[in-house]
Amino acid sequence: MYKLLIGLLALLVVAAMIPVAVISFDAPRAPPVMAAMAAPSKQASSDFPAPRQFRARDGANLQYYAYPAGPEKVAILIHGSAGPGTSMHILAESLRTAGVTVYVPDIRGHGGSGRRGDIDYIGQIDDDLADFVAALGTAKSGETRTLLGFSAGAGFAIRIAGGRYGLLFNRYVLLSPTTLSDAPTLRPNAGGWVSVAVPRIITIALLGRVGIHWFDGLPVIRYAISPEMARWLTDSYSYRLATNFGAGRQYQAYLQNIRRPAALLVGDADEQVIASQYAPLLQRLGVNIPVTIVPDMTHTDMIRNPKAIRAIVGAVSAP
């Protein structure tokens, strides 16, 4: 009996060591730099509005940028993976010129909001967005509020639109959504933009199902940026942030639960996603979201190129 107990204990120890070994040795590697994806805005930093702060429910002061214009149309812009809010500057200025008041937060874990690459719990940035909307105050009579997300930010906007905070906004505009795990729209490794530690993610997720969250703060994704660009961008995401900042494997349920009007725009030369696959995907899911494919636009063109911006302004300004 004693030997049997010792044998069982040894098996338990070995079984416990397997996930620890996977997590320890499967760190994401830095992919080759993709300058086209990671290049910062060409605008000088002096062109950016002064950063402001709002207080989240946990007492943290989070950073955002304001582009005031008319009171009737308000848009909150969510930046893409790795980048801070200033990466949306050209689009924000164009919307302001069109009469739209724009707010661009640094999502927690990016820029001037929190510690780079991590959050405290999955769902925290959903709560942060709700806190920011509350800080703006009650919508005025006739005011239309739009949530516009780009890339991973569009995946996050899908999560919000189809989740418990979905009715906070009147309209959603989705620009080249990524983070739709296993979707036919996503190129392998987002066209080389990401390196994903899949075994580590699976192991952490399985441990989470039994209430073990010791490893949720470990990095699981790295982005194709240089060390120099990492001073401005966020070069890796923890499991918590990677799970929260996007729609993930639940993207179909989120899309099917969207209760507000939405529009999706994508460039036909996008390096990260396959533009032609969005409409068939939405049709298969029974989701009525119009898809606009903008000719000759790459991924980052969608927030910088005048042709793409004209289409986006039209989507945000639609009655």
Side-chain angles (χ1 to χ4, degrees):
M1 178 63 74
Y2 177 75
K3 290 183 178 180
L4 178 60
L5 290 174
I6 293 297
L8 289 174
L9 180 60
L11 286 174
L12 289 173
V13 170
V14 171
M17 289 176 63
I18 292 174
V20 173
V22 171
I23 289 169
S24 298
F25 293 104
D26 188 48
R29 299 179 179 180
V33 174
M34 292 185 69
M37 299 293 189
S41 168
K42 295 180 180 179
Q43 301 293 316
S45 60
S46 59
D47 292 336
F48 301 144
R52 304 184 185 186
Q53 292 187 330
F54 74 97
R55 186 175 292 272
R57 65 189 63 186
D58 66 337
N61 291 316
L62 305 180
Q63 186 164 284
Y64 72 98
Y65 299 87
Y67 297 76
E72 293 186 354
K73 296 187 182 298
V74 174
I76 295 176
L77 274 53
I78 307 297
H79 58 75
S81 55
T86 50
S87 62
M88 305 292 281
H89 177 70
I90 295 174
L91 177 56
E93 279 285 14
S94 299
L95 287 167
R96 172 162 64 177
T97 299
V100 180
T101 290
V102 177
Y103 300 100
V104 189
D106 283 344
I107 294 298
R108 191 188 294 249
H110 305 75
S113 293
R115 60 190 183 280
R116 290 280 184 93
D118 193 20
I119 55 178
D120 296 327
Y121 60 89
I122 298 169
Q124 187 169 37
I125 59 176
D126 308 46
D127 294 340
D128 290 342
L129 182 60
D131 294 342
F132 182 66
V133 172
L136 295 180
T138 304
K140 302 175 181 62
S141 177
E143 178 182 322
T144 298
R145 290 183 172 178
T146 299
L147 183 65
L148 182 153
F150 165 64
S151 193
F156 176 64
I158 290 171
R159 173 188 174 95
I160 292 296
R164 59 186 175 128
Y165 293 127
L167 299 182
L168 287 177
F169 298 93
N170 305 102
R171 177 183 297 129
Y172 291 86
V173 175
L174 313 169
L175 307 180
S176 310
T178 61
T179 70
L180 308 183
S181 298
D182 299 327
T185 56
L186 189 63
R187 298 184 188 278
N189 295 319
W193 172 233
V194 300
S195 170
V196 183
V198 175
R200 176 179 278 191
I201 289 176
I202 293 172
T203 304
I204 293 175
L206 291 174
L207 290 173
R209 291 182 181 180
V210 295
I212 298 174
H213 297 281
W214 301 336
F215 307 104
D216 290 11
L218 292 179
V220 297
I221 291 177
R222 292 193 67 178
Y223 293 101
I225 61 177
S226 67
E228 294 75 23
M229 290 302 298
R231 292 178 295 178
W232 181 75
L233 299 168
T234 300
D235 63 354
S236 67
Y237 282 3
S238 70
Y239 174 79
R240 288 184 289 244
L241 181 56
T243 301
N244 198 164
F245 194 40
R249 293 184 181 277
Q250 296 78 38
Y251 75 91
Q252 297 184 47
Y254 287 129
L255 283 167
Q256 291 172 327
N257 197 41
I258 292 177
R259 293 154 287 173
R260 298 294 200 196
L264 192 154
L265 298 92
V266 60
D268 72 350
D270 197 296
E271 309 93 332
Q272 293 194 26
V273 298
I274 304 171
S276 62
Q277 291 298 314
Y278 283 101
L281 171 64
L282 295 173
Q283 183 178 17
R284 177 172 61 81
L285 295 177
V287 176
N288 185 24
I289 296 177
V291 176
T292 299
I293 297 179
V294 187
D296 306 319
M297 295 294 103
T298 66
H299 197 69
T300 55
D301 280 343
M302 293 302 295
I303 57 172
R304 297 176 186 169
N305 189 286
K307 181 193 296 185
I309 288 175
R310 283 194 295 272
I312 295 164
V313 170
V316 173
S317 301

